[in-house]
Short mmCIF file of all heavy atoms in Angstrom, two decimals:
data_model
loop_
_atom_site.label_atom_id
_atom_site.label_comp_id
_atom_site.label_asym_id
_atom_site.label_seq_id
_atom_site.Cartn_x
_atom_site.Cartn_y
_atom_site.Cartn_z
N MET A 154 2.65 -16.83 -90.97
CA MET A 154 3.56 -16.52 -89.84
C MET A 154 3.39 -15.08 -89.36
O MET A 154 3.31 -14.15 -90.16
CB MET A 154 5.00 -16.74 -90.31
CG MET A 154 5.69 -17.76 -89.41
SD MET A 154 7.42 -17.83 -89.76
CE MET A 154 7.82 -19.30 -88.86
N VAL A 155 3.37 -14.93 -88.09
CA VAL A 155 3.22 -13.59 -87.56
C VAL A 155 4.59 -12.96 -87.37
O VAL A 155 5.49 -13.57 -86.81
CB VAL A 155 2.47 -13.61 -86.21
CG1 VAL A 155 2.28 -12.20 -85.69
CG2 VAL A 155 1.14 -14.33 -86.35
N LYS A 156 4.71 -11.76 -87.81
CA LYS A 156 6.00 -11.06 -87.69
C LYS A 156 6.00 -10.30 -86.36
O LYS A 156 5.30 -9.30 -86.18
CB LYS A 156 6.14 -10.08 -88.86
CG LYS A 156 7.58 -9.79 -89.17
CD LYS A 156 7.67 -8.88 -90.40
CE LYS A 156 9.10 -8.47 -90.68
NZ LYS A 156 9.13 -7.49 -91.76
N ASN A 157 6.76 -10.76 -85.43
CA ASN A 157 6.77 -10.09 -84.12
C ASN A 157 8.19 -9.86 -83.60
O ASN A 157 8.45 -9.85 -82.42
CB ASN A 157 5.94 -10.90 -83.10
CG ASN A 157 6.50 -12.30 -82.91
OD1 ASN A 157 7.44 -12.70 -83.59
ND2 ASN A 157 5.95 -13.02 -81.97
N ASP A 158 9.10 -9.70 -84.54
CA ASP A 158 10.50 -9.44 -84.16
C ASP A 158 10.63 -8.13 -83.38
O ASP A 158 11.42 -8.00 -82.46
CB ASP A 158 11.38 -9.35 -85.41
CG ASP A 158 11.69 -10.76 -85.93
OD1 ASP A 158 11.26 -11.74 -85.28
OD2 ASP A 158 12.36 -10.85 -86.95
N ALA A 159 9.83 -7.16 -83.77
CA ALA A 159 9.93 -5.83 -83.17
C ALA A 159 9.62 -5.88 -81.66
O ALA A 159 10.22 -5.14 -80.88
CB ALA A 159 8.96 -4.87 -83.86
N THR A 160 8.70 -6.73 -81.29
CA THR A 160 8.33 -6.79 -79.88
C THR A 160 9.32 -7.62 -79.08
O THR A 160 9.49 -7.42 -77.88
CB THR A 160 6.91 -7.38 -79.73
OG1 THR A 160 6.84 -8.58 -80.47
CG2 THR A 160 5.86 -6.40 -80.22
N LYS A 161 9.96 -8.56 -79.79
CA LYS A 161 10.92 -9.42 -79.09
C LYS A 161 12.19 -8.65 -78.77
O LYS A 161 12.71 -8.72 -77.67
CB LYS A 161 11.26 -10.61 -80.00
CG LYS A 161 10.51 -11.87 -79.58
CD LYS A 161 11.13 -13.05 -80.29
CE LYS A 161 10.06 -14.01 -80.82
NZ LYS A 161 10.63 -14.98 -81.76
N LYS A 162 12.67 -7.94 -79.79
CA LYS A 162 13.97 -7.27 -79.63
C LYS A 162 13.86 -6.03 -78.75
O LYS A 162 12.87 -5.30 -78.80
CB LYS A 162 14.47 -6.83 -81.01
CG LYS A 162 15.27 -7.91 -81.70
CD LYS A 162 15.84 -7.36 -82.99
CE LYS A 162 16.21 -8.49 -83.93
NZ LYS A 162 16.49 -7.96 -85.27
N SER A 163 14.89 -5.80 -78.00
CA SER A 163 14.95 -4.56 -77.23
C SER A 163 15.76 -3.56 -78.03
O SER A 163 16.97 -3.66 -78.13
CB SER A 163 15.60 -4.83 -75.88
OG SER A 163 15.72 -3.63 -75.17
N CYS A 164 15.08 -2.63 -78.64
CA CYS A 164 15.73 -1.67 -79.52
C CYS A 164 16.70 -0.79 -78.73
O CYS A 164 16.47 -0.46 -77.57
CB CYS A 164 14.66 -0.80 -80.19
SG CYS A 164 15.33 0.48 -81.23
N ALA A 165 17.77 -0.42 -79.37
CA ALA A 165 18.76 0.44 -78.72
C ALA A 165 18.17 1.80 -78.38
O ALA A 165 18.52 2.41 -77.38
CB ALA A 165 19.96 0.61 -79.63
N CYS A 166 17.26 2.26 -79.23
CA CYS A 166 16.60 3.54 -78.98
C CYS A 166 15.78 3.47 -77.69
O CYS A 166 15.80 4.39 -76.87
CB CYS A 166 15.68 3.90 -80.14
SG CYS A 166 16.53 3.94 -81.72
N THR A 167 15.08 2.37 -77.52
CA THR A 167 14.26 2.21 -76.32
C THR A 167 15.15 2.18 -75.09
O THR A 167 14.83 2.77 -74.06
CB THR A 167 13.45 0.90 -76.41
OG1 THR A 167 12.82 0.85 -77.67
CG2 THR A 167 12.42 0.83 -75.31
N GLN A 168 16.27 1.50 -75.21
CA GLN A 168 17.18 1.39 -74.07
C GLN A 168 17.71 2.77 -73.69
O GLN A 168 17.79 3.12 -72.52
CB GLN A 168 18.35 0.47 -74.44
CG GLN A 168 19.29 0.20 -73.28
CD GLN A 168 18.56 -0.44 -72.10
OE1 GLN A 168 17.85 -1.44 -72.25
NE2 GLN A 168 18.70 0.14 -70.92
N ARG A 169 18.03 3.56 -74.70
CA ARG A 169 18.58 4.89 -74.42
C ARG A 169 17.52 5.77 -73.76
O ARG A 169 17.80 6.52 -72.83
CB ARG A 169 19.04 5.54 -75.72
CG ARG A 169 20.05 6.65 -75.47
CD ARG A 169 20.36 7.37 -76.76
NE ARG A 169 21.00 6.52 -77.74
CZ ARG A 169 21.12 6.82 -79.03
NH1 ARG A 169 20.64 7.94 -79.48
NH2 ARG A 169 21.71 6.00 -79.87
N LEU A 170 16.29 5.63 -74.27
CA LEU A 170 15.19 6.41 -73.70
C LEU A 170 14.98 6.03 -72.24
O LEU A 170 14.74 6.88 -71.38
CB LEU A 170 13.91 6.12 -74.51
CG LEU A 170 12.72 7.03 -74.19
CD1 LEU A 170 12.99 8.45 -74.65
CD2 LEU A 170 11.47 6.51 -74.88
N ARG A 171 15.11 4.74 -71.97
CA ARG A 171 14.92 4.27 -70.59
C ARG A 171 15.99 4.87 -69.67
O ARG A 171 15.72 5.26 -68.55
CB ARG A 171 15.01 2.75 -70.58
CG ARG A 171 13.81 2.13 -69.90
CD ARG A 171 13.92 0.63 -69.93
NE ARG A 171 13.22 0.04 -71.07
CZ ARG A 171 13.47 -1.18 -71.56
NH1 ARG A 171 14.43 -1.90 -71.03
NH2 ARG A 171 12.79 -1.65 -72.55
N ASP A 172 17.22 4.93 -70.18
CA ASP A 172 18.31 5.51 -69.38
C ASP A 172 18.04 6.99 -69.11
O ASP A 172 18.29 7.49 -68.02
CB ASP A 172 19.64 5.38 -70.12
CG ASP A 172 20.12 3.93 -70.10
OD1 ASP A 172 19.58 3.14 -69.29
OD2 ASP A 172 21.02 3.60 -70.87
N LEU A 173 17.54 7.68 -70.15
CA LEU A 173 17.24 9.10 -69.99
C LEU A 173 16.17 9.31 -68.93
O LEU A 173 16.29 10.18 -68.08
CB LEU A 173 16.75 9.68 -71.33
CG LEU A 173 17.85 10.10 -72.31
CD1 LEU A 173 17.22 10.52 -73.63
CD2 LEU A 173 18.67 11.24 -71.75
N ILE A 174 15.14 8.49 -69.00
CA ILE A 174 14.05 8.62 -68.03
C ILE A 174 14.57 8.37 -66.63
O ILE A 174 14.24 9.08 -65.69
CB ILE A 174 12.92 7.63 -68.39
CG1 ILE A 174 12.21 8.07 -69.67
CG2 ILE A 174 11.92 7.51 -67.24
CD1 ILE A 174 11.29 7.02 -70.27
N ARG A 175 15.42 7.36 -66.52
CA ARG A 175 15.97 7.03 -65.19
C ARG A 175 16.80 8.20 -64.66
O ARG A 175 16.75 8.54 -63.49
CB ARG A 175 16.82 5.78 -65.30
CG ARG A 175 16.93 5.06 -63.97
CD ARG A 175 17.83 3.83 -64.10
NE ARG A 175 17.29 2.87 -65.05
CZ ARG A 175 18.02 1.97 -65.71
NH1 ARG A 175 19.32 1.95 -65.55
NH2 ARG A 175 17.47 1.13 -66.53
N ALA A 176 17.57 8.84 -65.54
CA ALA A 176 18.44 9.93 -65.12
C ALA A 176 17.64 11.18 -64.77
O ALA A 176 18.06 11.98 -63.95
CB ALA A 176 19.43 10.25 -66.24
N ALA A 177 16.47 11.30 -65.41
CA ALA A 177 15.66 12.50 -65.20
C ALA A 177 14.79 12.38 -63.96
O ALA A 177 14.21 13.37 -63.52
CB ALA A 177 14.78 12.74 -66.42
N GLN A 178 14.71 11.21 -63.41
CA GLN A 178 13.85 11.03 -62.24
C GLN A 178 14.41 11.74 -61.02
O GLN A 178 15.62 11.85 -60.87
CB GLN A 178 13.69 9.54 -61.94
CG GLN A 178 12.55 8.95 -62.76
CD GLN A 178 12.45 7.43 -62.60
OE1 GLN A 178 13.33 6.83 -62.01
NE2 GLN A 178 11.39 6.87 -63.11
N PRO A 179 13.52 12.22 -60.17
CA PRO A 179 13.96 12.95 -58.98
C PRO A 179 14.74 12.05 -58.01
O PRO A 179 14.68 10.82 -58.11
CB PRO A 179 12.66 13.41 -58.33
CG PRO A 179 11.59 12.53 -58.90
CD PRO A 179 12.06 12.15 -60.27
N VAL A 180 15.44 12.69 -57.12
CA VAL A 180 16.27 11.97 -56.16
C VAL A 180 15.40 11.04 -55.33
O VAL A 180 14.35 11.44 -54.83
CB VAL A 180 17.01 12.95 -55.24
CG1 VAL A 180 17.92 12.19 -54.29
CG2 VAL A 180 17.79 13.95 -56.07
N LYS A 181 15.84 9.83 -55.21
CA LYS A 181 15.07 8.87 -54.42
C LYS A 181 15.18 9.18 -52.94
O LYS A 181 16.18 9.71 -52.48
CB LYS A 181 15.60 7.46 -54.68
CG LYS A 181 15.11 6.92 -56.01
CD LYS A 181 15.66 5.53 -56.22
CE LYS A 181 15.36 5.02 -57.62
NZ LYS A 181 16.07 3.78 -57.91
N GLU A 182 14.15 8.75 -52.23
CA GLU A 182 14.12 9.03 -50.80
C GLU A 182 15.25 8.32 -50.07
O GLU A 182 15.67 8.72 -49.01
CB GLU A 182 12.78 8.57 -50.22
CG GLU A 182 11.69 9.61 -50.45
CD GLU A 182 10.39 9.20 -49.79
OE1 GLU A 182 10.44 8.72 -48.65
OE2 GLU A 182 9.34 9.37 -50.41
N SER A 183 15.72 7.23 -50.67
CA SER A 183 16.77 6.46 -50.01
C SER A 183 18.07 7.25 -49.90
O SER A 183 18.92 6.94 -49.09
CB SER A 183 17.02 5.16 -50.76
OG SER A 183 17.37 5.44 -52.09
N SER A 184 18.21 8.30 -50.74
CA SER A 184 19.43 9.10 -50.70
C SER A 184 19.35 10.17 -49.62
O SER A 184 20.32 10.88 -49.37
CB SER A 184 19.68 9.74 -52.05
OG SER A 184 18.71 10.71 -52.30
N LEU A 185 18.21 10.28 -48.98
CA LEU A 185 18.07 11.26 -47.91
C LEU A 185 18.87 10.83 -46.69
O LEU A 185 18.92 9.65 -46.35
CB LEU A 185 16.60 11.42 -47.53
CG LEU A 185 15.72 12.17 -48.54
CD1 LEU A 185 14.27 12.10 -48.10
CD2 LEU A 185 16.13 13.61 -48.66
N LYS A 186 19.45 11.80 -46.05
CA LYS A 186 20.22 11.51 -44.84
C LYS A 186 19.54 12.11 -43.62
O LYS A 186 18.98 13.20 -43.70
CB LYS A 186 21.62 12.11 -44.97
CG LYS A 186 22.46 11.34 -45.96
CD LYS A 186 23.74 12.10 -46.19
CE LYS A 186 24.46 11.53 -47.41
NZ LYS A 186 25.44 12.49 -47.92
N LYS A 187 19.65 11.40 -42.54
CA LYS A 187 19.08 11.89 -41.30
C LYS A 187 20.11 12.82 -40.65
O LYS A 187 21.28 12.47 -40.54
CB LYS A 187 18.80 10.72 -40.37
CG LYS A 187 17.73 11.00 -39.35
CD LYS A 187 17.45 9.72 -38.57
CE LYS A 187 16.29 9.91 -37.62
NZ LYS A 187 16.04 8.68 -36.85
N ALA A 188 19.66 13.97 -40.26
CA ALA A 188 20.57 14.93 -39.66
C ALA A 188 19.93 15.58 -38.44
O ALA A 188 18.71 15.64 -38.34
CB ALA A 188 20.95 15.99 -40.68
N THR A 189 20.77 16.03 -37.54
CA THR A 189 20.27 16.72 -36.36
C THR A 189 20.70 18.17 -36.42
O THR A 189 21.88 18.47 -36.61
CB THR A 189 20.81 16.06 -35.08
OG1 THR A 189 20.54 14.66 -35.13
CG2 THR A 189 20.16 16.66 -33.85
N CYS A 190 19.76 19.06 -36.24
CA CYS A 190 20.05 20.49 -36.30
C CYS A 190 20.95 20.88 -35.14
O CYS A 190 20.68 20.52 -33.99
CB CYS A 190 18.75 21.27 -36.28
SG CYS A 190 19.01 23.04 -36.25
N GLU A 191 22.01 21.59 -35.43
CA GLU A 191 22.94 22.00 -34.39
C GLU A 191 22.40 23.16 -33.58
O GLU A 191 22.93 23.50 -32.53
CB GLU A 191 24.28 22.40 -35.03
CG GLU A 191 24.88 21.25 -35.80
CD GLU A 191 26.39 21.27 -35.76
OE1 GLU A 191 26.96 22.34 -35.47
OE2 GLU A 191 27.00 20.22 -36.01
N CYS A 192 21.34 23.76 -34.09
CA CYS A 192 20.76 24.92 -33.41
C CYS A 192 19.66 24.50 -32.44
O CYS A 192 19.73 24.80 -31.26
CB CYS A 192 20.22 25.89 -34.47
SG CYS A 192 19.51 27.37 -33.75
N CYS A 193 18.66 23.77 -32.94
CA CYS A 193 17.51 23.45 -32.10
C CYS A 193 17.43 21.96 -31.77
O CYS A 193 16.60 21.55 -30.98
CB CYS A 193 16.22 23.91 -32.77
SG CYS A 193 15.84 23.00 -34.27
N GLY A 194 18.30 21.13 -32.37
CA GLY A 194 18.31 19.71 -32.08
C GLY A 194 17.22 18.94 -32.79
O GLY A 194 17.03 17.75 -32.53
N ASN A 195 16.56 19.58 -33.69
CA ASN A 195 15.51 18.94 -34.47
C ASN A 195 16.13 17.90 -35.39
O ASN A 195 17.16 18.15 -36.01
CB ASN A 195 14.80 19.99 -35.32
CG ASN A 195 13.30 19.92 -35.16
OD1 ASN A 195 12.76 18.90 -34.75
ND2 ASN A 195 12.64 20.99 -35.50
N VAL A 196 15.50 16.73 -35.47
CA VAL A 196 15.96 15.71 -36.41
C VAL A 196 15.20 15.89 -37.71
O VAL A 196 13.98 15.95 -37.72
CB VAL A 196 15.74 14.30 -35.84
CG1 VAL A 196 16.14 13.25 -36.87
CG2 VAL A 196 16.53 14.12 -34.56
N PHE A 197 15.93 15.98 -38.78
CA PHE A 197 15.28 16.21 -40.08
C PHE A 197 16.00 15.40 -41.15
O PHE A 197 17.10 14.90 -40.94
CB PHE A 197 15.28 17.70 -40.41
CG PHE A 197 16.66 18.29 -40.56
CD1 PHE A 197 17.22 18.48 -41.82
CD2 PHE A 197 17.38 18.64 -39.45
CE1 PHE A 197 18.49 19.02 -41.95
CE2 PHE A 197 18.67 19.19 -39.57
CZ PHE A 197 19.21 19.37 -40.82
N TRP A 198 15.36 15.32 -42.30
CA TRP A 198 15.94 14.58 -43.43
C TRP A 198 16.36 15.55 -44.50
O TRP A 198 15.65 16.50 -44.80
CB TRP A 198 14.91 13.60 -43.98
CG TRP A 198 14.59 12.51 -43.01
CD1 TRP A 198 13.65 12.55 -42.03
CD2 TRP A 198 15.23 11.23 -42.91
NE1 TRP A 198 13.67 11.37 -41.35
CE2 TRP A 198 14.61 10.53 -41.86
CE3 TRP A 198 16.26 10.61 -43.62
CZ2 TRP A 198 14.99 9.24 -41.50
CZ3 TRP A 198 16.63 9.32 -43.26
CH2 TRP A 198 16.00 8.65 -42.21
N SER A 199 17.50 15.27 -45.07
CA SER A 199 17.99 16.14 -46.13
C SER A 199 18.76 15.31 -47.13
O SER A 199 19.38 14.31 -46.78
CB SER A 199 18.88 17.23 -45.53
OG SER A 199 19.48 17.96 -46.55
N ASN A 200 18.72 15.73 -48.40
CA ASN A 200 19.48 15.00 -49.42
C ASN A 200 20.86 15.61 -49.60
O ASN A 200 21.60 15.25 -50.50
CB ASN A 200 18.71 14.96 -50.75
CG ASN A 200 18.34 16.35 -51.24
OD1 ASN A 200 18.76 17.35 -50.66
ND2 ASN A 200 17.55 16.41 -52.28
N SER A 201 21.21 16.57 -48.74
CA SER A 201 22.54 17.15 -48.80
C SER A 201 23.05 17.35 -47.37
O SER A 201 22.27 17.32 -46.42
CB SER A 201 22.52 18.48 -49.56
OG SER A 201 21.65 19.38 -48.92
N GLU A 202 24.34 17.58 -47.24
CA GLU A 202 24.91 17.77 -45.91
C GLU A 202 24.44 19.10 -45.32
O GLU A 202 24.66 20.15 -45.89
CB GLU A 202 26.44 17.76 -46.00
CG GLU A 202 26.99 16.42 -46.42
CD GLU A 202 26.88 15.36 -45.32
OE1 GLU A 202 26.85 15.74 -44.14
OE2 GLU A 202 26.81 14.17 -45.66
N ARG A 203 23.78 19.01 -44.20
CA ARG A 203 23.25 20.21 -43.56
C ARG A 203 23.57 20.17 -42.06
O ARG A 203 23.57 19.11 -41.45
CB ARG A 203 21.73 20.29 -43.72
CG ARG A 203 21.27 20.81 -45.04
CD ARG A 203 19.77 20.61 -45.13
NE ARG A 203 19.23 21.18 -46.35
CZ ARG A 203 18.76 22.42 -46.43
NH1 ARG A 203 18.76 23.18 -45.37
NH2 ARG A 203 18.29 22.87 -47.56
N GLU A 204 23.78 21.32 -41.50
CA GLU A 204 24.00 21.40 -40.06
C GLU A 204 22.77 21.91 -39.35
O GLU A 204 22.56 21.69 -38.17
CB GLU A 204 25.19 22.31 -39.76
CG GLU A 204 26.52 21.67 -40.17
CD GLU A 204 27.68 22.60 -39.90
OE1 GLU A 204 27.45 23.77 -39.57
OE2 GLU A 204 28.83 22.14 -40.03
N TYR A 205 21.95 22.64 -40.08
CA TYR A 205 20.76 23.24 -39.48
C TYR A 205 19.50 22.81 -40.22
O TYR A 205 19.54 22.60 -41.43
CB TYR A 205 20.88 24.76 -39.51
CG TYR A 205 22.13 25.27 -38.83
CD1 TYR A 205 23.20 25.72 -39.57
CD2 TYR A 205 22.21 25.25 -37.43
CE1 TYR A 205 24.36 26.16 -38.93
CE2 TYR A 205 23.36 25.69 -36.80
CZ TYR A 205 24.43 26.15 -37.55
OH TYR A 205 25.56 26.56 -36.92
N CYS A 206 18.41 22.71 -39.47
CA CYS A 206 17.14 22.36 -40.08
C CYS A 206 16.66 23.53 -40.94
O CYS A 206 17.23 24.62 -40.91
CB CYS A 206 16.11 22.01 -39.00
SG CYS A 206 15.58 23.40 -38.00
N PHE A 207 15.60 23.26 -41.65
CA PHE A 207 15.11 24.27 -42.59
C PHE A 207 14.66 25.53 -41.85
O PHE A 207 14.85 26.64 -42.33
CB PHE A 207 13.96 23.71 -43.42
CG PHE A 207 14.39 22.49 -44.21
CD1 PHE A 207 14.10 21.22 -43.79
CD2 PHE A 207 15.12 22.65 -45.38
CE1 PHE A 207 14.50 20.11 -44.51
CE2 PHE A 207 15.55 21.56 -46.12
CZ PHE A 207 15.23 20.28 -45.67
N ASP A 208 14.06 25.34 -40.69
CA ASP A 208 13.57 26.48 -39.91
C ASP A 208 14.73 27.38 -39.50
O ASP A 208 14.70 28.60 -39.67
CB ASP A 208 12.84 25.99 -38.66
CG ASP A 208 11.46 25.46 -39.01
OD1 ASP A 208 11.00 25.73 -40.14
OD2 ASP A 208 10.86 24.78 -38.16
N CYS A 209 15.77 26.75 -38.93
CA CYS A 209 16.90 27.54 -38.43
C CYS A 209 17.67 28.17 -39.58
O CYS A 209 18.18 29.28 -39.46
CB CYS A 209 17.82 26.65 -37.58
SG CYS A 209 17.04 26.14 -36.04
N GLU A 210 17.74 27.46 -40.68
CA GLU A 210 18.45 28.00 -41.81
C GLU A 210 17.71 29.24 -42.34
O GLU A 210 18.32 30.25 -42.68
CB GLU A 210 18.56 26.96 -42.92
CG GLU A 210 19.67 27.28 -43.91
CD GLU A 210 19.79 26.22 -44.97
OE1 GLU A 210 18.90 26.13 -45.81
OE2 GLU A 210 20.77 25.46 -44.93
N ALA A 211 16.39 29.15 -42.36
CA ALA A 211 15.57 30.28 -42.80
C ALA A 211 15.75 31.45 -41.85
O ALA A 211 15.85 32.61 -42.26
CB ALA A 211 14.11 29.86 -42.86
N LYS A 212 15.81 31.15 -40.54
CA LYS A 212 15.99 32.20 -39.53
C LYS A 212 17.36 32.85 -39.68
O LYS A 212 17.52 34.06 -39.60
CB LYS A 212 15.89 31.61 -38.13
CG LYS A 212 14.46 31.48 -37.64
CD LYS A 212 14.48 30.91 -36.24
CE LYS A 212 13.24 30.06 -35.97
NZ LYS A 212 13.40 29.20 -34.81
N GLY A 213 18.38 32.00 -39.88
CA GLY A 213 19.75 32.50 -39.98
C GLY A 213 19.98 33.38 -41.18
O GLY A 213 20.87 34.22 -41.19
N ARG A 214 19.17 33.19 -42.21
CA ARG A 214 19.36 33.97 -43.43
C ARG A 214 18.77 35.37 -43.29
O ARG A 214 19.08 36.25 -44.06
CB ARG A 214 18.70 33.27 -44.61
CG ARG A 214 19.60 32.18 -45.18
CD ARG A 214 18.93 31.48 -46.34
NE ARG A 214 19.72 30.34 -46.78
CZ ARG A 214 19.26 29.42 -47.61
NH1 ARG A 214 18.05 29.50 -48.07
NH2 ARG A 214 20.01 28.41 -47.98
N LYS A 215 17.87 35.50 -42.31
CA LYS A 215 17.23 36.81 -42.17
C LYS A 215 18.17 37.84 -41.57
O LYS A 215 19.03 37.49 -40.78
CB LYS A 215 15.98 36.68 -41.32
CG LYS A 215 14.80 36.19 -42.17
CD LYS A 215 13.55 36.02 -41.30
CE LYS A 215 12.44 35.38 -42.13
NZ LYS A 215 11.30 35.05 -41.29
ZN1 ZN V 223 16.92 23.92 -36.12
#
């Protein structure tokens, strides 16, 4: 008889590791929001609430 219980069972350690990997993964593109810059009207994508595009934000910081 072949002993293959280890491959059949889903070990709790493996499950935890999988959760860790999932949590460590970068933000998915689906979480990006479409936004329009209030300064130049450029449409851009951002994963956070923004009023200005990257260009205008960079300019405004100067
Ligand atoms: Zn802009």
Side-chain angles (χ1 to χ4, degrees):
M154 237 189 192
V155 182
K156 205 176 175 186
N157 60 355
D158 281 358
T160 50
K161 258 194 223 167
K162 272 185 200 168
S163 177
C164 177
C166 304
T167 311
Q168 185 60 51
R169 201 187 296 165
L170 189 68
R171 233 179 265 159
D172 287 345
L173 277 175
I174 290 167
R175 204 182 298 156
Q178 274 174 351
V180 183
K181 283 180 188 170
E182 278 184 43
S183 58
S184 69
L185 287 173
K186 288 172 193 161
K187 204 175 185 181
T189 307
C190 177
E191 301 212 340
C192 181
C193 67
N195 231 339
V196 176
F197 62 99
W198 293 87
S199 173
N200 56 7
S201 59
E202 294 288 334
R203 280 171 175 268
E204 289 178 351
Y205 304 104
C206 69
F207 300 100
D208 284 346
C209 292
E210 200 178 70
K212 276 181 212 163
R214 278 179 187 168
K215 278 178 186 173

